[in-house]
Amino acid sequence: MGTEMGQKRHSASLANKVFIQRDYSEGTTCKFQTKFPSELESRIERTLFEDTVKTLNNYYAEAEKIGGQSYLEGCLACATAYLIFLCVETRYEKVLKKIAKYIQEQNEKIYAPRGLLITDPIERGMRVIEISIYEDRGSSGSSSGSSSVSGSTAR
Amino acid sequence: MPGFSSGGVGGGVGVPASAPPRPFRPSRYVPVSAATTFLVGSTTLFFCFTCPWLSEYFSSVIPIYIAVIFLFTLANFCMATFMDPGVFPRAEEDEDKEDDFRAPLYKTVEIKGIQVRMKWCSTCRFYRPPRCSHCSVCDNCVEDFDHHCPWVNNCIGRRNYRHFFLFLLSLTTHIMNVFGFGLVYVLHHRQQLDTPHAAVTMAVMCVAGLFFVPVAGLTGFHIVLVARGRTTNEQVTGKFRGGVNPFTNGCLRNISHVLCSSQAPRYMGRWRSPQAMEVQPPFLRPPLTEAQLEAKVLDNGIQNDRHSTRSKSSLDQMESQSADAEPPPPPKPELRYPGLPRADTEESSLLTEAPPTPSMYKYRPAYNSPGRNHTALTHPNKMIRGESLDSPSPSILMSSRQPNYRSEPSSLDGATVVGGGVGVRRGGVERGEGPGGPGGTTGGLSGGMSGYSLTGRSYTSYPSSLVLSTGGSRSSSLRSAHTAHNPLATLQSEGTTDTSYKSLANQTPRNGSLSYDSLLTPSESPEFESAAHELSPQKPHALFPSATVTSQPEVVSPSTRLQGYTSPFLSAQIAQQREGQLLQGSATFSSPHRAYLRAVSPPPPSSGPPEIQHLLQHNQDSSSRASRNPSSSSSSPGVRSLEPPVSPPPRGLSLGKSHSYTGEAGPQHKPRPAGGGTVPGGGGAGGGQQAPQSTSRPVLGNHTTSKPGGGVKKVTGVGGTTYEISV
């Protein structure tokens, strides 16, 4: 598996991208599928991945929650003829910042060491979570291929 | 705060994935200028001429109240005009690599138990999320698209719907105020009506009265929409006419969602933080599970050998094929990531999945040439992957893996196709090579493959019928044909994409068409079964028949049935032809169907296919030529971009009296949206846009080249794609 041990490579090249699609089963609220894609079988533990996606889903649910805060924000905006938006960030934007931080942290701690990178879904219009898979440059493509293949056959 | 998204200059604001700047069209600004002039001008006059007297005679609260309402109106008007409605940035190339060529035009997704279709947007290069629509005026896909409003010269979508709605409410109130207080003034100055003040007041009252009727009507319309949780687009296209709206959460919740939810973020013009993450090997790898280790042992180096060459050559051919009919598709994935030999990975992964089931190879790549005409590949797989399909068969196939990264020939039975898909595509697509190239290399692989390789036509589709009848698959292709019945049938009973075929297929027995009766049997029940599983039990049954039968039963049924048994790439036009022939009881069609029957047993007679292939070829030629999409939104070529099908030529060529699905679908949808005034017109534009686009994709023509022995028939398509049909 970890055959890269003996080969010290200092560069990684983008090999593949996996796109985690939205889960629309509950309507148009922002939620991503937690299904583990087969390309990541050999790259990351399933639980880590699922935790990441679930946390992201929770963040988005919090952003879209209709409650006291969003109502007040709306009233204030109406009262000030929406000029308030020039000064204050909307609730959603605040949560998006939190999400960006979270993704950054996940990338640093978990994904980059495994040769993966998560792209913030907002850059894709919140339609997909893009996970880039990197390979050691020059490392045999077959090893990654076979490992992912074997991973997939195992399913 | 608001991003300027409307206007003719520049579709995107400083964002990489946006439309190129469009020509400046002054005519687009006429309605919005007129609206602004009337609003501001009339109110100013009112304040100058009528309000002084009002504040003296009654109190100064009145002008203040009127001013507050007016400012509120103006603020919402500006927000509705200048705010980005929720434009989706164009998908980057990497994202749609999976949807190459044979990707289906539609993907279905289940929302609260109701099947909703997501259509591929050829301009924006992604499958439109539910409720998203592409605005041809703005040339953007807009989230929760309501309509394009010419009075604000902007789309109304998720982000600015609230402002638009409040604008309407406040404008109605403002008009009533102005008219009411103007009337008070006039009634008090009956003897001085010749004074300029009175004259101006009367003029303002006239303007107000004139605008009151349409504005109030529109306001009432939107109040109803908000209460029901629908968009104008959905209302006008009649999507939820049957009454099943998956997006509603109840009246109160709908209202609070519109008015009280947090302002949605914009997707365009965002500040992209520079990617500071360094990804450096060595990489951690998770420990392999036992199953994975076993699998590793099993796949003992079969990979990488023949398939690499075959895949590359087939890929080349695919690309050249597509160049025939349309501009070349996006570069293959290998070109995008030059670092890795893609082909190997995919081929190896293909091989590791040993003997693919028959149905997998049903859908040959043949349809590549018209670009992305075809269906089924990746997306049904993706759908299956991501969706609720829990059946074991899909999962086996889905394990595919890499194919995900590449377009796969998913087929009607999406699940099953996955594994064989890639290989099939490679082997099948080779142009004019005949058995030689692909055949040779195919060897073991296509041995299994060819057995099932479908030209994508009816003949070998028998496995598909089996698969279909299992109810597990999702067919993507013929959605286009099915789209004719789009709003009704689709949403209600579509179930899997398959259902679109099945539902149509199920219509046939009602028409008493003879040759298909036996064929229908296996698939009839599945349609409702699958629909029933996924949907609320009663509704699909009740709705679907009413929806399809009432609309165009004769058109729908035969073609669907045909589609059910034929390749996903079959366009509606071909389906219509078949339908026409069916209705005529033509013998030509009986043989392929016998083929289906024999799916369980020996191969079909070879007489059937050639005739049909000729038919298909005629059709395809004309349809591929004719199907250039005139609508602006589908500028890019490709399977999915086959939109408003120009029906006459194919019809002319088609053997029988096939109705043009598209023809019917088109007019059927157009008048409906084209009905009303501004808003319905705008909504209609959006809706009308969708409807014609949903029609068929061109189907490649086929003519058989019979090959002696081997039990494999080589069929070459118009584009030169070759596929093998087991005979």
Side-chain angles (χ1 to χ4, degrees), chain B residues 320-575:
Chain B
S320 57
Q321 286 167 23
S322 54
D324 283 354
E326 285 180 348
K332 291 296 165 190
E334 19 193 65
L335 301 177
R336 295 178 202 153
Y337 299 121
L340 272 194
R342 229 130 263 299
D344 295 351
T345 332
E346 241 171 289
E347 296 316 307
S348 52
S349 63
L350 225 208
L351 282 186
T352 359
E353 302 192 353
T357 56
S359 45
M360 282 201 294
Y361 300 108
K362 194 162 27 136
Y363 303 103
R364 283 300 194 167
Y367 306 95
N368 286 332
S369 33
R372 302 155 164 237
N373 305 330
H374 320 291
T375 49
L377 306 175
T378 351
H379 282 281
N381 302 333
K382 266 165 60 170
M383 263 185 354
I384 294 171
R385 214 168 297 156
E387 310 285 322
S388 42
L389 249 197
D390 292 328
S391 54
S393 54
S395 61
I396 294 170
L397 299 170
M398 284 174 37
S399 56
S400 39
R401 53 298 142 109
Q402 247 78 7
N404 166 330
Y405 184 72
R406 289 222 185 184
S407 59
E408 297 169 336
S410 40
S411 46
L412 286 178
D413 23 301
T416 46
V417 175
V418 172
V422 179
V424 173
R425 178 164 49 113
R426 302 289 154 77
V429 181
E430 276 144 20
R431 183 194 295 250
E433 269 188 29
T441 48
T442 315
L445 183 73
S446 47
M449 276 171 43
S450 54
Y452 307 102
S453 50
L454 248 205
T455 357
R457 296 298 152 61
S458 46
Y459 329 119
T460 37
S461 54
Y462 52 84
S464 65
S465 66
L466 289 183
V467 178
L468 286 179
S469 55
T470 57
S473 46
R474 298 189 185 242
S475 51
S476 36
S477 50
L478 296 180
R479 290 210 207 131
S480 53
H482 188 62
T483 325
H485 312 282
N486 145 29
L488 314 170
T490 311
L491 293 171
Q492 294 154 4
S493 60
E494 232 192 8
T496 54
T497 27
D498 251 339
T499 327
S500 62
Y501 302 98
K502 293 182 199 167
S503 55
L504 291 175
N506 285 334
Q507 296 291 325
T508 328
R510 293 184 202 131
N511 294 339
S513 174
L514 298 176
S515 47
Y516 293 90
D517 279 351
S518 48
L519 289 174
L520 286 183
T521 329
S523 71
E524 267 176 75
S525 41
E527 186 232 342
F528 289 103
E529 281 173 273
S530 57
H533 293 321
E534 282 138 354
L535 310 179
S536 56
Q538 302 85 18
K539 297 233 160 153
H541 289 265
L543 293 169
F544 180 77
S546 61
T548 46
V549 174
T550 42
S551 48
Q552 297 166 338
E554 68 287 355
V555 174
V556 177
S557 46
S559 46
T560 342
R561 190 203 303 230
L562 282 171
Q563 293 165 3
Y565 295 95
T566 58
S567 85
F569 307 118
L570 206 54
S571 70
Q573 284 145 356
I574 292 203

Side-chain angles (χ1 to χ4, degrees), chain A residues 44-111:
Chain A
I44 190 168
E45 288 84 352
R46 186 183 289 255
T47 48
L48 288 174
F49 170 82
E50 283 176 0
D51 282 345
T52 307
V53 179
K54 282 184 184 152
T55 313
L56 283 177
N57 287 341
N58 289 338
Y59 273 121
Y60 286 117
E62 182 199 329
E64 295 185 351
K65 195 163 71 97
I66 298 173
Q69 191 184 347
S70 60
Y71 181 69
L72 278 178
E73 186 184 291
C75 285
L76 193 62
C78 282
T80 61
Y82 306 108
L83 295 171
I84 197 77
F85 288 139
L86 293 170
C87 318
V88 176
E89 235 177 23
T90 71
R91 175 194 167 88
Y92 213 116
E93 290 286 344
K94 288 192 187 120
V95 177
L96 283 179
K97 282 206 173 137
K98 280 204 273 184
I99 290 172
K101 255 181 67 182
Y102 172 74
I103 288 179
Q104 168 97 2
E105 174 210 328
Q106 288 281 293
N107 273 337
E108 276 168 19
K109 293 193 186 149
I110 297 176
Y111 289 82

